[in-house]
Amino acid sequence: MTGDDRPYRLDDQVGYILRLASQRHASLFLARFGSDLTPTQFAAMARLGEIGQCSQNELGRQTAMDVATIKGVVDRLRAKGLVSQMSDPADKRRSLLSLSPRGAAMLADLHAKGNTVTEDTLDPLDVAEREVFLSLLRKLG
Amino acid sequence: MTGDDRPYRLDDQVGYILRLASQRHASLFLARFGSDLTPTQFAAMARLGEIGQCSQNELGRQTAMDVATIKGVVDRLRAKGLVSQMSDPADKRRSLLSLSPRGAAMLADLHAKGNTVTEDTLDPLDVAEREVFLSLLRKLG
DNA sequence: GCCTCATTATTCGTATACAAATGAATATTG
DNA sequence: CAATATTCATTTGTATACGAATAATGAGGC
């Protein structure tokens, strides 16, 4: 009797449902932000606004991005003129990143849109459920 | 008084926390499956085991993958000899996919490992919390 | 100072992920 | 049945995402 009679269902796997929720969020994000900024680029800018000037790898750590991933993200943000780079005089390895004036000027609008996307995403839940969900989700982060 | 005094926090955005949880899940998945199979490849195989023979686009829809994404996934599963393809005699556009004998033989083991990854991922939650979390997460999928 | 180790940024390779466009085949509709 | 619309699979381009490797630089121990 080593068999398991319960049918296996992909729909019950947390990884799969997480992917579905992430996809829906990405779709809602795109609807609000258009192709101006991706969720990842948004995260990098928001964090840079929070912590101020820092190195590229540090920004990657603060946004849970691999060194290879954050490089591409920063490259694209610099190409858009939203992030500025200067070399660190105290450490020749580092380049110090900061929001450009244009990037900083966009922050308030980004915050408003970001909050709207979070509300859109949580819309299927009532207020009490949102609290519970975010609390539990945070434990899995 | 149009300003918002509350500080904006990336850590409170559901999209960001979803990404963190997905990252942790991917890491746990990798620990169990090694580089044999990715979560996406696993999902495609599990679903193909559930619904049986179907077209490539149909498998994509059943696993929430874009036509371009499912193509790459199926290509790699075929290269590993886990999925077989034949042309549909009734519709020249379609190619019918099915698990290969080797792929089908792996299913039981995949199910066991898949369940373990789900348990690993939900480990920070107690049994009652898991029920609640999955129920709420499903509403966002 | 010198050796070792850690950190920074970059690069390469692989794998999702999706929008958009294409050609072939099928379905629908007037 | 002929014009239109839809579906299937493929391809291209862009953007994460991460493991692994590398060169340059910095830090610590002796």
Side-chain angles (χ1 to χ4, degrees):
Chain A
M1 305 299 277
T2 55
D4 186 342
D5 287 347
R6 291 175 310 168
Y8 181 87
R9 282 198 308 247
L10 178 61
D11 299 287
D12 290 338
Q13 302 303 305
V14 68
Y16 181 67
I17 320 179
L18 274 174
R19 188 159 68 82
L20 297 185
S22 297
Q23 283 179 339
R24 178 164 161 278
H25 170 266
S27 168
L28 293 170
F29 189 100
L30 184 64
R32 292 286 175 189
F33 282 82
S35 33
D36 294 341
L37 224 52
T38 67
T40 318
Q41 290 165 11
F42 167 82
M45 282 194 66
R47 191 64 98 196
L48 199 47
E50 280 179 36
I51 64 179
Q53 193 178 59
C54 69
S55 76
Q56 184 175 283
N57 281 10
E58 178 64 16
L59 184 57
R61 282 189 293 271
Q62 296 294 327
T63 49
M65 294 178 209
D66 190 76
V67 292
T69 301
I70 192 64
K71 190 208 183 304
V73 173
V74 166
D75 281 353
R76 285 180 283 275
L77 287 175
R78 289 213 296 150
K80 295 182 206 220
L82 301 176
V83 164
S84 307
Q85 189 182 40
M86 58 171 288
S87 58
D88 187 343
D91 188 338
K92 291 178 191 166
R93 295 169 304 178
R94 294 193 194 185
S95 60
L96 295 176
L97 302 177
S98 52
L99 289 176
S100 71
R102 205 156 79 74
M106 283 177 60
L107 261 196
D109 184 50
L110 293 187
H111 291 172
K113 280 187 185 170
N115 279 327
T116 305
V117 173
T118 287
E119 286 163 20
D120 290 347
T121 305
L122 295 177
D123 186 65
L125 307 183
D126 63 39
V127 177
E129 287 175 329
R130 294 177 198 190
E131 293 283 344
V132 174
F133 175 71
L134 287 177
S135 158
L136 297 177
L137 183 59
R138 251 186 267 270
K139 292 189 185 180
L140 301 186
Chain B
M1 302 300 276
T2 56
D4 187 341
D5 286 348
R6 291 175 309 171
Y8 181 86
R9 283 198 307 249
L10 179 61
D11 299 287
D12 290 339
Q13 302 302 304
V14 68
Y16 182 67
I17 320 177
L18 273 173
R19 187 159 70 84
L20 297 184
S22 297
Q23 282 178 339
R24 179 164 161 277
H25 171 267
S27 167
L28 294 169
F29 189 100
L30 184 63
R32 292 288 175 185
F33 281 82
S35 33
D36 294 341
L37 226 49
T38 67
T40 317
Q41 291 165 11
F42 167 82
M45 283 195 65
R47 191 64 99 194
L48 200 47
E50 281 179 36
I51 63 178
Q53 192 179 59
C54 68
S55 77
Q56 183 175 285
N57 281 10
E58 177 64 17
L59 183 59
R61 282 190 293 271
Q62 297 293 328
T63 50
M65 295 178 209
D66 189 76
V67 292
T69 302
I70 192 64
K71 188 207 185 307
V73 173
V74 166
D75 282 352
R76 286 180 282 276
L77 287 175
R78 290 212 295 151
K80 295 183 203 216
L82 302 176
V83 163
S84 307
Q85 189 182 40
M86 58 171 286
S87 57
D88 186 342
D91 188 337
K92 292 178 190 166
R93 294 170 305 179
R94 293 192 195 185
S95 60
L96 295 175
L97 302 177
S98 52
L99 291 176
S100 72
R102 204 156 79 75
M106 283 177 60
L107 262 195
D109 185 50
L110 292 187
H111 290 172
K113 280 187 185 169
N115 280 326
T116 306
V117 173
T118 287
E119 286 162 19
D120 290 347
T121 304
L122 295 177
D123 187 64
L125 307 183
D126 63 38
V127 177
E129 287 174 328
R130 294 177 197 189
E131 294 281 344
V132 173
F133 175 72
L134 287 177
S135 158
L136 296 178
L137 183 59
R138 251 187 267 269
K139 291 189 185 182
L140 301 186

